[in-house]
């Protein structure tokens, strides 16, 4: 048995100082990732610093029409907040389609962004895995890869990013605010999640001991008409095989503004910029939605086991766009 020290930080500075000064320590929020992986010997911290007393739970509308979510706000609280449901329904839907009610009550927004991959080789604590133990190889590439990524992969890792709400936040150009030993920082969400490349063990640019304090979503009128569509093996309590966050604004029948991001198919929450570029100014009809989906998936690199995800992602994009355009059945 490994001994673990537990302390409850009374304020933000103490929490950051405690973790920054000790490479064997981790923050503890809801614990739904951290404790799971600790029990499985995937994470081996010697010290847990509980951050649940920190004043980081607010969910506020910003004067400019955006949203600021404290990193310790629970998934269920954010999903239920009227400002989220009115201005950014895609965020509420992505949260409600994730995990289970009990988990959503425990799990924090900061912890959600930092949850770890569901790759079984990563989680068994034994198989060669470049993410868990750099340089040991990737067991999934020649192994069981049905749930793995088809976009943003490298020869060193093909694990799918698991968060649902991160996909909605990616579509909405959110910013992740942090505080660390070096002071405060802000990351555009697209820069916050790193592609695996040669360094799959690095999933974000934060230093050890850097604390996510808030997530900010800028005003986006387009988001009032937005949707999160999640395709999975069973209807609840399951991660996405493919998911899509879409926001759409039409003038007459033409696409005036659109946001598309994908989950379940990429190594990071995937902003579908090719699809967006194709759609702006196009007539909102199925043939254009299909072409947008095709151009987005053009660089997909599936394995033999997950080739079905390419078509699944294309169909999810088309269905979500059709639903928002009023041409299709509700998702
Ligand atoms: C059975 C199961 C099913 C799930 N299904 C889904 C799903 O369908 N969709 C989905 O999106 N998620 C799903 N999840 C993941 C779940 O949403 C995450 O485990 C949860 O959001 C993590 O939040 P937490 O507060 O419990 O984090 P913790 O477990 O406390 O922390 C997670 C990690 O983040 C670090 N951390 C936490 N907060 C901060 C912070 N503020 N700053 C810096 N570091 C921090 C911790 O040190 C740790 O490394 C599922 C989880 C389980 C167990
Ligand atoms: S896909 Fe990534 S997480 Fe899974 S075994 Fe390969 S390196 Fe590890």
């Amino acid at each position: 048995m490994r001994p673990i020290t537990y302390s409850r930080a009374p304020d933000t500075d103490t929490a950051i100082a405690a973790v920054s000064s000790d490479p064997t320590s981790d923050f503890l929020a809801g614990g739904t990732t951290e404790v799971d992986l600790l029990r499985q010997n995937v994470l081996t911290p010697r010290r847990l610093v509980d951050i649940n007393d920190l004043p980081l739970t607010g969910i506020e509308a910003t004067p400019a029409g955006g949203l600021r979510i404290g990193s310790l706000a629970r998934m269920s609280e954010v999903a239920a907040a009227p400002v989220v449901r009115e201005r950014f329904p895609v965020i509420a839907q992505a949260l409600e389609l994730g995990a289970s009610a009990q988990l959503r009550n425990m799990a924090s927004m900061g912890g959600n962004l930092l949850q770890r991959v569901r790759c079984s080789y990563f989680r068994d604590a034994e198989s060669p895995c470049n993410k868990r133990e750099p340089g040991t190889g990737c067991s999934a590439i020649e192994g069981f890869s049905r749930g793995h990524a088809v976009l943003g992969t490298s020869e060193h890792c093909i694990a799918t990013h698991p968060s649902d709400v991160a996909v909605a936040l990616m579509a909405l150009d959110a910013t992740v605010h942090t505080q660390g030993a070096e002071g405060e920082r802000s990351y555009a969400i697209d820069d916050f999640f790193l592609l695996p490349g040669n360094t799959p063990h690095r999933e974000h640019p934060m230093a050890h001991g850097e604390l996510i304090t808030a997530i900010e979503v800028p005003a986006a009128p387009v988001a009032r008409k937005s949707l999160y569509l999640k395709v999975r093996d069973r209807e609840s309590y399951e991660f996405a095989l493919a998911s899509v966050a879409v926001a759409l604004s039409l003038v007459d029948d033409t696409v005036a503004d659109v946001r598309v991001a994908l989950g379940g198919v990429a190594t990071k929450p995937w902003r579908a910029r090719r699809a967006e570029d194709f759609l702006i100014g196009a007539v909102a009809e199925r043939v254009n939605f299909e072409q947008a989906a095709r151009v987005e998936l053009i660089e997909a690199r599936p394995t033999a086991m997950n080739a079905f995800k390419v078509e699944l992602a294309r169909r999810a994009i088309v269905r979500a766009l059709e639903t928002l355009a009023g041409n299709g059945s509700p998702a």
Side-chain angles (χ1 to χ4, degrees):
M1 194 165 2
R2 277 178 297 112
I4 295 176
T5 312
Y6 168 91
S7 61
R8 215 169 157 106
D11 56 62
T12 304
D13 289 343
T14 307
I16 292 166
V19 176
S20 302
S21 61
D22 180 355
T24 70
S25 62
D26 276 346
F27 294 121
L28 181 70
T32 62
T33 287
E34 184 73 23
V35 175
D36 260 12
L37 294 180
L38 194 149
R39 283 195 183 126
Q40 289 163 246
N41 279 324
V42 176
L43 298 179
T44 52
R46 294 215 200 106
R47 179 180 188 190
L48 288 178
V49 177
D50 189 327
I51 56 175
N52 285 292
D53 290 340
L54 308 187
L56 302 172
T57 54
I59 304 165
E60 293 151 16
T62 63
L67 177 67
R68 189 178 172 95
I69 307 170
S71 61
L72 286 170
R74 266 40 198 184
M75 289 171 71
S76 53
E77 294 166 349
V78 178
V83 60
V84 177
R85 302 185 83 82
E86 278 159 30
R87 293 186 184 178
F88 305 101
V90 66
I91 294 178
Q93 292 167 23
L95 287 165
E96 285 176 339
L97 289 171
S100 65
Q102 291 89 340
L103 283 161
R104 293 194 294 271
N105 287 339
M106 285 294 292
S108 67
M109 291 294 287
N112 186 294
L113 298 188
L114 296 178
Q115 64 176 290
R116 307 303 300 274
V117 296
R118 307 307 292 191
C119 174
S120 56
Y121 302 108
F122 172 80
R123 286 184 170 247
D124 71 13
E126 283 179 2
S127 303
C129 169
N130 288 324
K131 192 179 275 297
R132 181 170 29 75
E133 246 181 276
T136 55
C138 171
S139 298
I141 287 174
E142 299 293 327
F144 188 73
S145 57
R146 178 175 179 273
H148 286 68
V150 299
L151 291 167
T153 56
S154 77
E155 60 186 306
H156 302 289
C157 181
I158 59 170
T160 308
H161 194 276
S163 168
D164 287 299
V165 74
V167 180
L169 295 170
M170 183 65 71
L172 297 171
D173 291 321
T175 299
V176 179
H177 296 286
T178 69
Q179 192 179 328
E182 308 291 321
E184 295 183 7
R185 292 200 61 174
S186 299
Y187 302 91
I189 194 154
D190 211 0
D191 299 331
F192 184 76
F193 293 109
L194 305 179
L195 290 169
N198 296 329
T199 52
H201 58 287
R202 283 198 76 225
E203 297 178 341
H204 54 74
M206 291 193 302
H208 182 73
E210 201 170 331
L211 181 79
I212 300 179
T213 51
I215 299 159
E216 197 161 336
V217 185
V222 66
R224 286 184 181 261
K225 199 171 175 191
S226 60
L227 172 75
Y228 189 71
L229 173 65
K230 181 172 179 180
V231 185
R232 46 192 162 165
D233 280 328
R234 55 182 180 186
E235 256 311 295
S236 73
Y237 204 35
E238 187 55 278
F239 289 87
L241 285 172
S243 69
V244 55
V246 173
L248 182 67
S249 163
L250 303 181
V251 173
D252 299 324
D253 282 342
T254 301
V255 177
D257 196 1
V258 65
R259 309 290 180 84
V260 185
L262 299 173
V265 291
T267 51
K268 64 182 265 185
W270 191 262
R271 184 71 178 266
R273 292 193 192 279
R274 290 169 194 251
E276 291 178 1
D277 290 347
F278 177 84
L279 286 168
I280 289 284
V283 175
E285 59 187 0
R286 187 177 178 93
V287 63
N288 285 333
F289 297 159
E290 286 173 344
Q291 183 58 13
R294 258 194 301 274
V295 297
E296 190 58 51
L297 272 298
I298 219 152
E299 288 188 357
R301 295 285 172 269
T303 64
M305 274 190 198
N306 69 8
F308 75 99
K309 281 195 170 192
V310 179
E311 183 59 20
L312 198 63
R314 284 195 205 114
R315 290 187 191 198
I317 294 172
V318 173
R319 183 168 160 200
L321 286 165
E322 286 232 291
T323 304
L324 281 186
N327 308 340
S329 58

